């Protein structure tokens, strides 16, 4: 067991503030009593208030699962059986959306791009011309595989112009990157408590257009992941259909209060950008460079090329010893990159200590 405070620089879960951690030492609440219904309602209300303009047309439902569970619930409940979903992928998480649609036997078309390339919007437009059967678009906002922030303004405009509902994986962007639901023709977005919102792992959520929850439903092909049941429960009497992770719900409630008090998503983005810039400055001074172009990144996570003479395991272990958890690359990048996220409770002293640890690790190689 590590004794000193560990700073998580992996893309979720994040280092909690003491306030959020304390919130989990909560009373023993039954989820079918009015007080838990009240907590659920407040969480769902706060979630749709993070982005201005969402509150009127969208509702949130809280789920007990990780981010993938929320993405799966969204696709199971809202991707059509009679229709076809175009999946735009340039990383692990876009490809996972296609895998989920396949597992639920929903018709889809996967546009599979290079992991290091942006989504090709012109090619998507041509594809839509050639494939008239496409009724929905699914993609990832921040592709955590590389740290790329996909160009949702362009993709969303295309969805809007063609009247295609957008199903978005916002798991690693919700709460820190801009989301323009109206301009993007957003049907639904799935996200989690334990990334940019700084809650604990265990609960996640889907925000969708009210009409999707209430109008004729598609076959979710799942009992547990059918969002219509969550909506009618949580937005009716306030009860979840199944036992929720009560302590994680308390933590999310507190984390949302903190986010609000600290200036909402705009200020969170500003802080993330400052941290990312500081980390980049330290690494660049040690001749460690980014995988993508600087402007392609989200404010949440950056990927860096491992220098010659240093394996991921060595980098991880030296930093872990110094109290920091970084993250490996996936697939072909497992041996080539390391990833540094900057979510959660990280202060200036932590960043100073991280700079020192980077210097110890990479200085001798530079
Ligand atoms: C973290 C993440 C997920 C979900 O991962 P879980 O381990 O299921 O929480 C999904 N999509 C993206 C883009 C992510 O970064």
């Amino acid at each position: 067991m590590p004794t000193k405070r560990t700073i998580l620089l992996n893309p979720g879960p994040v280092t909690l503030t003491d306030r959020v951690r304390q919130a989990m030492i909560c009373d023993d609440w039954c989820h079918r009593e009015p007080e838990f219904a009240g907590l659920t309602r407040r969480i769902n209300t706060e979630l749709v208030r993070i982005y201005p303009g969402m509150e009127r047309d969208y509702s949130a439902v809280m789920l007990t699962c990780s981010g993938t569970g929320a993405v799966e619930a969204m696709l199971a409940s809202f991707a059509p059986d009679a229709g076809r979903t175009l999946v735009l992928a340039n990383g692990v998480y876009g490809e996972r959306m296609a895998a989920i649609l396949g597992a639920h036997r929903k018709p889809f078309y996967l546009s599979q791009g290079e992991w290091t390339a942006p989504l090709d919007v012109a090619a998507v437009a041509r594809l839509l011309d050639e494939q008239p059967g496409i009724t929905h678009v699914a993609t990832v906002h921040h592709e955590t595989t590389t740290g790329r922030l996909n160009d949702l303004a362009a993709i969303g405009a295309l969805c809007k112009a063609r009247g295609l509902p957008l199903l978005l994986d916002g798991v690693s962007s919700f709460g820190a990157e801009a989301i323009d639901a109206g301009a993007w023709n957003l049907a639904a977005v799935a996200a989690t408590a334990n990334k940019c919102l700084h809650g604990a792992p265990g609960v996640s959520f889907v925000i969708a257009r009210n009409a999707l929850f209430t109008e004729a439903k598609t076959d979710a092909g799942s009992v547990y992941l059918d969002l219509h049941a969550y909506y009618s429960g949580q937005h009716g009497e306030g009860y979840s259909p199944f036992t929720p992770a009560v302590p994680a719900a308390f933590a999310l409630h507190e984390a949302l209060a903190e986010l609000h008090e600290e200036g909402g998503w705009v200020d969170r983005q500003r802080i993330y950008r400052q941290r990312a810039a500081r980390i980049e400055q330290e690494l660049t001074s040690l001749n460690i460079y980014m995988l993508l172009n600087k402007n392609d990144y989200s404010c949440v996570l950056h990927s860096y090329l491992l220098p010659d003479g240093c394996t991921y395991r060595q980098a991880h272990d030296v930093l872990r010893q110094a109290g920091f958890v970084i993250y490996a690359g996936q697939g072909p990048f497992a041996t080539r990159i390391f990833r540094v996220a900057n979510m959660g409770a990280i202060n200036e002293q932590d960043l100073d200590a991280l700079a020192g640890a980077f210097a110890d690790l990479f200085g001798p190689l530079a």
Side-chain angles (χ1 to χ4, degrees):
M1 275 292 285
T3 47
K4 63 179 179 194
R5 181 162 169 265
T6 300
I7 302 297
L8 300 180
L9 304 171
N10 49 287
V14 301
T15 310
L16 300 178
T17 63
D18 287 338
R19 179 175 161 185
V20 168
R21 193 189 318 284
Q22 288 302 320
M24 284 191 284
I25 306 171
C26 51
D27 288 339
D28 301 317
W29 280 9
C30 171
H31 66 295
R32 290 197 166 267
E33 291 296 327
E35 56 271 23
F36 194 80
L39 186 80
T40 304
R41 276 202 200 89
R42 288 197 299 280
I43 288 170
N44 288 339
T45 303
E46 285 305 315
L47 286 171
V48 289
R49 282 186 184 157
I50 292 172
Y51 293 97
M54 253 193 190
E55 201 179 353
R56 201 189 55 196
D57 299 324
Y58 294 80
S59 297
V61 290
M62 183 178 71
L63 309 168
T64 287
C65 53
S66 79
T68 304
V71 174
E72 182 150 4
M74 171 178 77
L75 293 174
S77 303
F78 301 140
D81 298 309
R84 185 175 296 271
T85 303
L86 170 63
V87 181
L88 306 176
N90 56 350
V92 168
Y93 297 98
E95 291 171 13
R96 186 178 291 175
M97 290 182 106
I100 289 169
L101 289 166
H104 286 266
R105 307 198 196 293
K106 304 229 182 217
F108 70 93
Y109 184 96
L110 171 62
S111 168
Q112 191 167 18
E114 293 290 327
W115 286 8
T116 48
L119 296 177
D120 184 344
V121 182
V124 174
R126 283 196 302 277
L127 203 138
L128 289 170
D129 290 337
E130 290 158 14
Q131 302 263 343
I134 287 166
T135 56
H136 290 63
V137 173
T139 196
V140 178
H141 190 196
H142 166 211
E143 185 42 92
T144 321
T145 309
T146 55
R148 180 184 296 279
L149 187 68
N150 279 324
D151 185 359
L152 262 296
I155 301 287
L158 204 61
C159 292
K160 178 104 178 169
R162 293 171 185 246
L164 300 171
L166 174 67
L167 300 167
L168 188 64
D169 172 343
V171 176
S172 62
S173 56
F174 192 94
E177 295 287 354
I179 294 177
D180 191 339
W184 300 357
N185 207 37
L186 186 75
V189 55
T192 188
N194 61 271
K195 294 201 188 191
C196 308
L197 296 181
H198 298 182
V203 294
S204 61
F205 56 93
V206 174
I207 294 177
R209 277 190 188 282
N210 294 328
L212 279 180
F213 286 120
T214 51
E215 73 198 5
K217 58 180 208 160
T218 51
D219 177 13
S222 167
V223 173
Y224 197 76
L225 299 176
D226 186 354
L227 293 178
H228 302 91
Y230 287 85
Y231 180 84
S232 59
Q234 293 177 7
H235 291 265
E237 286 185 291
Y239 301 137
S240 297
F242 313 105
T243 310
V246 174
F250 273 96
L252 176 56
H253 183 255
E254 201 64 35
L256 289 169
E258 245 180 21
L259 175 68
H260 185 70
E261 288 164 26
E262 290 169 3
W265 78 267
V266 174
D267 274 77
R268 185 142 296 173
Q269 177 175 72
R270 187 177 50 75
I271 291 162
Y272 282 3
R273 281 190 174 147
Q274 283 168 359
R275 289 176 185 170
R278 168 84 196 272
I279 292 167
E280 187 209 342
Q281 186 196 324
E282 301 294 347
L283 286 171
T284 308
S285 76
L286 294 162
N287 297 339
I288 305 295
Y289 300 105
M290 292 175 172
L291 172 69
L292 306 177
N293 294 324
K294 185 173 171 165
N295 293 334
D296 291 342
Y297 283 102
S298 74
C299 64
V300 174
L301 175 141
H302 289 54
S303 49
Y304 291 91
L305 293 163
L306 284 162
D308 287 340
C310 180
T311 64
Y312 175 76
R313 190 39 59 192
Q314 287 166 335
H316 169 274
D317 290 355
V318 168
L319 293 167
R320 183 76 181 84
Q321 201 60 38
F324 299 95
V325 175
I326 57 166
Y327 217 49
Q330 290 153 294
F333 290 118
T335 55
R336 288 186 52 208
I337 66 169
F338 63 100
R339 292 181 287 171
V340 184
N342 43 242
M343 297 172 279
I346 304 172
N347 59 37
E348 284 305 313
Q349 289 96 299
D350 297 328
L351 291 176
D352 293 343
L354 179 63
F358 280 148
D360 290 344
L361 170 65
F362 296 124
L365 300 169

